């Protein structure tokens, strides 16, 4: 990639941002020297490692490589037999600390069983914990070795401390002497050349015997080592030499330990160097909200919501650019400061970043082409020294581009062939674009020439685009609109800025009719586009509302289905419980009957059992009554009732028909099958036959409606007592039909004992009925011989 385009598109500023995230100086240098490549497989590998590092950053905390240093120089010193000093050993220790930190970071990721392209690099790291801990134990800083680095060093330093105290005590004794104190400049102990001295007045040196080591700048003070402490200072000096020898031995021992791990240290640094570089790219991507684009070698570019990475992310307007698919040249027109150059640079800079393995600030599913070369002619390159005008400098650059461009090139032109006669400039621009089209180069150019708009409209493989401009506010929106040529809006902008209207009208009259018609056409196209965009936005809003309503309806339906299933399940469980209790009660009653029937139990026990059963039944009736009352409280009484309306009597849980209108107290008669009862209006619920009847809702037959009506109102018992035989048989015949239609399994026919004539007539009629499976007289507790139980087929 030529260096000129990197400078033109300000690629170096991206590299400076990247380098700011690097921890190591060597990695910073690598960031600043990063260049785009054209091998698509290598690009995708670089993008993959950046994406994996970015995923780790989003999933957990950031990782730091601060403290990493290249150990190569120290290792080479070890290889020739030299020992490392404290600073070099601490540098090795710092490298191992970074290694340990990176290893722990990867271990946290491994807890989530996450393996990616960076796992292999993390696996190369060897923290060398024993070596790290030994260096850290022995060396406190570059200038200080720990006392317990060795036993010998500990003893020597203890002796040094004791000797220093002894010397101080001797010198203090001298200073406390009244005679000696008068010879001193100050009553302090000082040190010169590593030996303890006293500051003695120059004219009193003969009164303080000893060795002179130094004098003050004025010569008035001599620093004398008294003879009383010379031997002690000598011993102290010997101890200090022993201390230094032991420190050298300790450093040599640590150096030998490091020498045993040189390969591991080189491997650690190599892995950390690579990881620091990769995570620097990931941190840059995170700061720019970047993503990994897909790549192709077809010259196809599709940037979705692309943002120029050097502009303020809070102010920059994202653009959508498609280029190289159905058209390979894009001609961008529009007024100045409308964003044409920014769009041009955005396409070029994002392509450079992508081919460098960097994520680009754009939306998902963005796609970039891999180019061998990118050429850009942007900005004013006028050269006074070379006697080149603006047009000449641009043309020199264009000639260079035409010599090197091919079908693997991206070419960017800003104001192509501007700065000369418009007619000639437009003709030259069209010829240059046509030549690049023949080369197969992907080209994006900005211009003000109307001839280029016509060229894009009439030429295959060329498309118009414009940067939107709000004439009302005289401000650009910076939106790039592909497929529509732009207007320069010179007249509108001039009028808004206050140019006299007569001048503007005169200018319009000087335009040719063809130019006026073309500008009007562009204005109409722009108006149509804005209308279509508004309508599309409205359609999208309607679609969103429909989707929201659909989602709410589905949620409501799911809730209803779930509630229905729950109600049915609870009802089935309750029914099973009632049947179980009824069976248990019946079994217990039969056992008691058998027991009491044998006369072995007293009558009082039998009465107690009857009372207990009656109490249990009363308790169930009370609970049912409370439930009905609660239901009655929670509903509103019907406002208007008409004779014939279908209602539900809550207290009896039966459906019936209104037989009379309510009186002043709200009482009325309701016919429920053969039962006609006086109820209060507050105990009724009006039933809408249209909504309640499934036959009407689903187009069912009248038969299904009749069955549902019967099943809700037919009683399981008919009372024929007091009827003549003929009356009883007529009522019984209709009752049996209704009960059979209502799917009742059996019915109870009450005819009484009497002479037996009515019972015999009922039995004779039942024998003739084909719907009756069997019948028998009631058993004990069912009414005995006064009742007949009939079972349907």
């Amino acid at each position: 990639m030529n260096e000129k385009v990197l400078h033109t598109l300000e690629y170096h500023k991206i590299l400076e941002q990247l380098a700011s995230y690097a921890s190591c100086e060597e990695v910073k240098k690598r960031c600043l020297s990063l260049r785009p490549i054209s091998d698509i497989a290598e690009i995708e590998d670089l993008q993959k490692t950046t994406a994996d590092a970015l995923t780790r950053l989003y999933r957990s905390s950031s990782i730091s490589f601060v403290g990493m240093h290249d150990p190569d120089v120290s290792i080479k010193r070890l290889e020739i037999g030299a020992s490392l000093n404290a600073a070099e050993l601490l540098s090795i220790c710092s490298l191992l600390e970074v290694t340990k930190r990176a290893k722990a970071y990867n271990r946290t990721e491994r807890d989530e069983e996450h393996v990616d392209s960076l796992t292999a690099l993390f696996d190369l790291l060897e923290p060398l914990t024993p070596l790290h801990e030994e260096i850290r134990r022995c060396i406190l800083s570059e200038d200080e070795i720990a006392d317990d680095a060795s036993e010998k060093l500990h003893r020597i330093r203890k002796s040094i401390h004791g000797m220093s105290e002894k010397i101080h005590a001797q010198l203090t004794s001298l200073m406390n002497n009244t005679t000696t104190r008068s010879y001193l400049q100050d009553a302090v102990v000082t040190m010169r050349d590593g030996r303890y001295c006293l500051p003695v007045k120059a004219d009193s040196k003969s009164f303080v015997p000893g060795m002179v080591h130094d004098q003050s700048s004025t010569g008035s003070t001599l620093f004398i080592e008294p003879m009383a402490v010379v031997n002690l200072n000598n011993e102290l000096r010997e101890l200090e030499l022993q201390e230094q020898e032991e420190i050298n031995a300790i450093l040599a021992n640590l150096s030998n330990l490091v020498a045993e791990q040189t390969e591991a240290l080189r491997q650690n640094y190599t892995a950390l160097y690579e990881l620091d570089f990769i995570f620097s790219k990931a941190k840059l991507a995170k700061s720019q909200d970047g993503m990994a684009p897909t790549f192709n070698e077809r010259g196809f570019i599709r940037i979705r919501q692309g943002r120029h990475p050097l502009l303020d992310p809070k102010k920059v307007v994202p653009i959508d650019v498609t280029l190289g698919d159905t058209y390979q040249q894009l001609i961008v027109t529009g007024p100045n400061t409308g964003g044409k150059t920014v769009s041009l640079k955005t396409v070029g800079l994002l392509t450079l970043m992508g081919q460098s393995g960097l994520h680009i600030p754009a939306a998902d599913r963005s796609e970039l082409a891999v180019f061998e070369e990118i050429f850009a002619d942007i900005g004013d390159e006028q050269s006074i020294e070379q006697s080149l005008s603006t047009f000449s400098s641009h043309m020199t650059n264009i000639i260079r581009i035409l010599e090197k461009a091919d079908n693997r090139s991206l070419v960017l032109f800003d104001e192509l062939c501007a700065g000369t006669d418009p007619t000639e400039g437009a003709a030259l621009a069209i010829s240059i674009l046509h030549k690049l089209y023949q080369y197969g180069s992907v080209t994006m150019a900005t211009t003000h020439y109307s001839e280029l708009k016509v060229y894009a409209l009439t030429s295959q493989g060329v498309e118009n685009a414009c940067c939107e401009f709000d004439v009302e506010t005289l401000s650009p929106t910076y939106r790039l609109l592909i497929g529509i040529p732009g207007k320069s809006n010179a007249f509108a902008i001039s009028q808004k800025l206050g140019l006299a209207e007569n001048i503007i009208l005169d200018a319009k009259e000087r335009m040719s009719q063809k130019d006026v018609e073309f500008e009007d056409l562009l204005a109409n196209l722009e108006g149509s586009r804005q209308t279509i965009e508004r309508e599309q936005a409205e359609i999208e809003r309607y679609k969103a509302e429909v989707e929201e309503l659909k989602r709410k309806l589905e949620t409501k339906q799911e809730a209803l289905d779930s509630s229905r299933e729950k109600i049915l399940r609870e009802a089935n469980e309750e029914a099973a419980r009632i049947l179980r209790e009824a069976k248990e009660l019946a079994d217990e009653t039969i056992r008691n009957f058998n027991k009491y029937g044998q006369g072995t139990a007293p009558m009082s026990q039998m009465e107690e059992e009857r009372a207990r059963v009656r109490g249990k039944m009363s308790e169930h009736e009370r609970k049912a009554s409370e439930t009905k009352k609660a239901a009655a409280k929670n509903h509103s009484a019907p406002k208007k009732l008409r004779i014939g309306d279908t209602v539900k009597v809550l207290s009896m849980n039966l459906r019936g028909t209104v037989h009379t209108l309510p009186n002043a107290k709200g009482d009325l008669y309701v016919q429920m099958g053969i039962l006609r009862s006086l109820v209060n209006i507050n105990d009724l619920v009006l039933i809408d036959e249209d909504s309640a009847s499934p036959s009407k809702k689903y187009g069912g037959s009248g038969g299904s409606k009749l069955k549902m009506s019967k099943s809700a109102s037919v009683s399981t018992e008919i009372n024929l007592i007091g009827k003549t035989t003929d009356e009883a048989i007529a009522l019984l015949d209709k009752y049996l039909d209704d009960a059979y239609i209502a799917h009742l399994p059996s019915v109870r026919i009450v005819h009484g004992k009497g002479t037996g004539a009515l019972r015999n007539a009922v039995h004779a009629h039942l024998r003739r009925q084909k719907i009756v499976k069997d019948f028998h007289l009631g058993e004990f507790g069912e009414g005995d011989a006064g009742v007949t139980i009939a079972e349907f087929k």
Side-chain angles (χ1 to χ4, degrees), residues 163 166 230-240:
M163 187 61 65
K166 188 180 294 186
V230 169
N231 290 333
L232 293 178
N233 269 331
N234 289 338
E235 292 179 18
L236 178 62
R237 184 60 180 163
E238 290 176 3
L239 288 173
E240 288 175 346

Side-chain angles (χ1 to χ4, degrees), residues 593-753:
F593 176 75
N594 292 333
K595 181 175 72 173
Y596 297 140
Q598 295 173 359
T600 57
M603 186 60 65
S604 59
Q605 290 185 5
M606 184 174 179
E607 288 299 328
E608 288 177 1
E609 286 298 321
R610 288 178 63 190
R612 185 177 65 80
V613 173
R614 189 182 301 109
K616 197 169 186 179
M617 293 174 64
S618 299
E619 178 64 20
H620 284 296
E621 289 176 358
R622 183 185 63 78
K623 289 182 179 179
S625 177
E626 289 177 354
T627 303
K628 291 172 184 176
K629 289 179 180 179
K633 289 180 180 179
N634 294 331
H635 88 284
S636 56
K639 298 290 184 182
K640 295 181 180 180
L641 283 178
R642 294 176 297 178
I643 296 175
D645 285 348
T646 302
V647 294
K648 181 177 181 180
V649 183
L650 296 176
S651 59
M652 305 175 71
N653 197 28
L654 293 176
R655 287 178 55 171
T657 305
V658 175
H659 201 264
T660 64
L661 294 176
N663 57 21
K665 295 182 180 180
D667 296 331
L668 69 154
Y669 281 98
V670 176
Q671 189 73 35
M672 295 166 284
I674 61 173
L675 178 64
R676 184 169 179 267
S677 177
L678 181 66
V679 297
N680 191 273
I681 192 171
N682 292 322
D683 195 25
L684 299 181
V685 174
L686 182 63
I687 297 176
D688 186 358
E689 286 291 339
D690 292 337
S691 60
S693 175
S695 63
K696 289 188 178 181
K697 184 175 181 180
Y698 297 105
S701 65
S704 62
K705 176 183 175 182
L706 180 61
K707 290 178 183 178
M708 291 193 66
S709 177
K710 293 295 183 184
S711 64
S713 60
V714 175
S715 174
T716 58
E717 177 183 301
I718 184 172
N719 191 345
L720 302 177
I721 296 176
K723 306 291 183 184
T724 63
T725 302
D726 293 335
E727 290 175 346
I729 294 303
L731 291 173
L732 178 61
D733 187 67
K734 183 178 183 305
Y735 173 72
L736 291 175
D737 289 339
D738 292 341
Y740 183 74
I741 291 173
H743 297 289
L744 297 179
S746 62
V747 293
R748 185 169 181 267
I749 306 169
V750 181
H751 44 63
K753 297 180 180 178

Side-chain angles (χ1 to χ4, degrees), residues 107-158:
R107 196 176 297 117
T108 303
E109 298 295 326
R110 279 293 184 87
D111 291 343
E112 302 178 9
E113 300 182 357
H114 181 78
V115 178
D116 55 25
S117 61
L118 304 182
T119 303
L121 283 173
F122 280 106
D123 289 343
L124 291 175
L125 299 176
E126 291 292 338
L128 304 177
T129 304
L131 176 59
H132 167 262
E133 291 178 349
E134 182 65 13
I135 295 174
R136 184 57 68 193
R137 183 184 70 84
C138 295
I139 304 176
L140 301 180
S141 68
E142 292 184 6
D143 303 318
E144 184 178 3
I145 305 298
D147 291 347
D148 58 352
S150 71
E151 293 183 5
K152 185 177 180 180
L153 181 64
H154 182 71
R155 289 197 305 271
I156 293 173
R157 286 185 171 174
K158 187 176 181 181

Side-chain angles (χ1 to χ4, degrees), residues 441-452:
S441 302
V442 177
T443 308
M444 184 173 178
T446 68
T447 185
H448 285 285
Y449 294 144
S450 296
E451 290 85 350
L452 265 66

Side-chain angles (χ1 to χ4, degrees), residues 258-271:
V258 172
E260 296 173 0
Q261 304 292 346
T262 54
E263 288 303 318
L265 290 171
R266 279 196 175 104
Q267 181 174 284
N268 285 343
Y269 178 75
T270 301

